[in-house]
Amino acid sequence: MKYNSKAVRLADVIVQDIWSGNYDRGKYLPGEDALAENYQVSRTTIRRVLDILNKEGVLIKEPNRGTLINPDLKQQTAKPATTGKTVTIGAIWAGFPDAMTIGIADGIKAFASEKKMGFQLFQSTEGHAKVLDYLLHIDELGVAGVILLPYNFPGYADALRRLKQRRFPMVCVDRPVTGVELSCIEVDNAGGVYRAVVKLLVAFRRPVHYLGAQPGNRTQLLRYQGYLHAMNDSGFEQEIQRCTHFYPPTDNDPEFWPVEKKLELPYIVALDILRNATLPVSIMAMNDYAARSVYRAAEELKLRVGRDIMLFGFDDLPLASCLECPLSSVRQPRREIGFEAAKQLCEEIDGRISQPVTKVLPVELIERNSSRSCLD
């Protein structure tokens, strides 16, 4: 029996359900039809599962009566059927490869290599349909669990909800899924923006403008909330409305996944900010792509970042240190996100976690010339 077969994985799930108290030792399991409906699989798969657990001594088949949970079952007997087999974990997401997803994938690979596990990446650069198809046919991917970068796009929540009902191990990165409670590895988005904005407020004693997408997911919302708290705590609450500049969210739209398209909408808004602001001006950009758009707008208006504009980004992408006036940014621990997500996923595969867990990793302020006054 291959490790990654649906029956073997479901056998592990049922063992964990027994030890969680969902089924009582010494009593009969529900019938095949009820089990098939409960775990969203076919009766054929259920029969294979029962055969596996019968051979391992977890269950006892009694002719004409049903399947009895072994009353003498000891926990060490009920080890997952995957023990000793090679485990392969997967990552599934949509979008063009970038520093964020590459860093996360490197972290997952590092953990998998350390634990002598396999790793498969399933990525779609063309849209969400392929990712949703991966989720629909997850049993064909040959993985014991998956790490996901979810979107607020039709179909994601339903697909993940079905997999959760089957107790298929899943961990989200960057943000959770609305309406589906899954383990998630995030970073301190609100705290990172808060610290960057306070740096600008204290250094230059003037309001900070916020440039970002209209919040469409948890990450975007938390970053804006960090800005709000910093402005309020520093006595600039009356300036918030005037200094908030949103552009339409584009994360879900494949048309805006290429880098050059990511810059279009924030560039238009950045031009408006710089044309109407009293200089010098301080700006907190939601991410480094939005910050890069400020550079482009400044160049067009013959302004200089680091002199006319004090600027902070978020993510600390490679572009941040490569600009002529290097960009100050909030650094995400991309590799650590992937490593922690893989670690969390393996704990779920092994049944060591009964409830979803959210871990928030710290971020780091990286100060460069864009947030320092360079008047000389």
Side-chain angles (χ1 to χ4, degrees):
M1 180 72 66
K2 293 183 179 179
Y3 167 78
N4 288 310
S5 76
K6 184 189 300 185
V8 174
R9 289 199 306 274
L10 184 53
D12 292 349
V13 169
I14 291 178
V15 168
Q16 296 305 321
D17 283 347
I18 292 171
W19 288 110
S20 297
N22 293 339
Y23 303 115
D24 294 330
R25 279 173 282 174
K27 295 188 177 180
Y28 291 93
L29 278 178
E32 292 179 359
D33 288 338
L35 289 171
E37 181 177 357
N38 184 39
Y39 294 102
Q40 296 291 292
V41 295
S42 68
R43 286 186 63 188
T44 301
T45 298
I46 289 296
R47 291 192 189 105
R48 290 172 182 162
V49 170
L50 298 181
D51 284 341
I52 291 170
L53 296 181
N54 181 61
K55 291 176 182 176
E56 295 207 352
V58 177
L59 303 176
I60 301 171
K61 285 188 177 181
E62 296 188 349
N64 302 319
R65 298 192 65 182
T67 303
L68 181 71
I69 300 172
N70 189 344
D72 299 321
L73 187 63
K74 297 180 180 179
Q75 187 150 4
Q76 60 265 31
T77 305
K79 294 183 294 183
T82 59
T83 301
K85 307 286 185 175
T86 299
V87 179
T88 297
I89 57 176
I92 301 177
W93 47 66
F96 277 62
D98 59 17
M100 182 69 178
T101 56
I102 290 171
I104 292 173
D106 284 346
I108 299 171
K109 284 192 288 187
F111 181 88
S113 176
E114 181 180 302
K115 300 298 180 182
K116 308 208 180 306
M117 302 165 64
F119 170 59
Q120 291 288 328
L121 174 62
F122 305 91
Q123 183 165 4
S124 169
T125 60
E126 299 174 356
H128 300 283
K130 186 64 177 176
V131 168
L132 294 174
D133 186 64
Y134 285 142
L135 296 175
L136 181 63
H137 300 95
I138 199 117
D139 295 314
E140 299 172 16
L141 302 184
V143 295
V146 292
I147 295 163
L148 306 150
L149 179 61
Y151 286 83
N152 288 331
F153 186 84
Y156 274 86
D158 287 342
L160 299 180
R161 196 174 291 113
R162 285 194 295 269
L163 289 173
K164 184 180 179 181
Q165 288 174 347
R166 290 176 43 193
R167 295 176 174 81
F168 189 87
M170 297 178 287
V171 174
C172 295
V173 290
D174 187 62
R175 53 188 178 256
V177 183
T178 303
V180 185
E181 193 176 0
L182 299 174
S183 290
C184 186
I185 307 298
E186 305 178 45
V187 300
D188 187 9
N189 288 290
V193 170
Y194 181 97
R195 287 190 284 274
V197 172
V198 167
K199 278 278 185 184
L200 292 171
L201 290 169
V202 171
F204 304 107
R205 300 189 180 184
R206 59 175 178 252
V208 174
H209 292 253
Y210 183 84
L211 172 63
Q214 180 76 40
N217 59 49
R218 177 176 168 84
T219 296
Q220 294 166 349
L221 179 61
L222 287 174
R223 291 185 187 181
Y224 184 56
Q225 287 178 344
Y227 167 76
L228 294 178
H229 289 311
M231 290 285 280
N232 275 294
D233 288 353
S234 303
F236 289 99
E237 64 275 4
Q238 294 184 351
E239 300 287 347
I240 289 173
Q241 184 173 355
R242 180 180 70 85
C243 293
T244 294
H245 310 272
F246 287 139
Y247 51 86
T250 58
D251 287 33
N252 292 338
D253 189 346
E255 178 186 349
F256 289 91
W257 290 349
V259 172
E260 62 274 11
K261 298 292 287 185
K262 291 179 188 287
L263 305 180
E264 285 186 1
L265 296 182
Y267 162 71
I268 294 170
V269 178
L271 274 177
D272 185 63
I273 296 172
L274 298 182
R275 282 173 175 155
N276 293 286
T278 299
L279 300 177
V281 62
S282 300
I283 300 175
M284 177 72 222
M286 181 188 75
N287 57 37
D288 287 354
Y289 292 119
R292 181 66 182 90
S293 297
V294 176
Y295 281 80
R296 179 181 166 194
E299 182 179 2
E300 180 168 327
L301 298 175
K302 309 220 179 314
L303 301 175
R304 281 179 54 191
V305 174
R307 183 191 67 186
D308 307 300
I309 306 155
M310 302 303 142
L311 178 64
F312 244 102
F314 200 113
D315 294 331
D316 196 36
L317 301 177
L319 67 86
S321 59
C322 295
L323 294 164
E324 184 176 351
C325 177
L327 172 66
S328 297
S329 190
V330 181
R331 177 176 292 169
Q332 290 206 60
R334 296 182 285 270
R335 186 181 175 93
E336 187 180 353
I337 293 170
F339 193 93
E340 287 296 319
K343 179 180 177 182
Q344 179 79 19
L345 182 64
C346 286
E347 290 179 351
E348 299 207 3
I349 291 171
D350 291 343
R352 296 198 298 271
I353 295 177
S354 58
Q355 296 295 327
V357 174
T358 295
K359 294 182 180 178
V360 179
L361 304 182
V363 294
E364 180 184 2
L365 286 191
I366 306 298
E367 294 188 77
R368 302 187 179 98
N369 287 347
S370 73
S371 63
R372 299 170 180 150
S373 183
C374 303
L375 300 177
D376 48 329

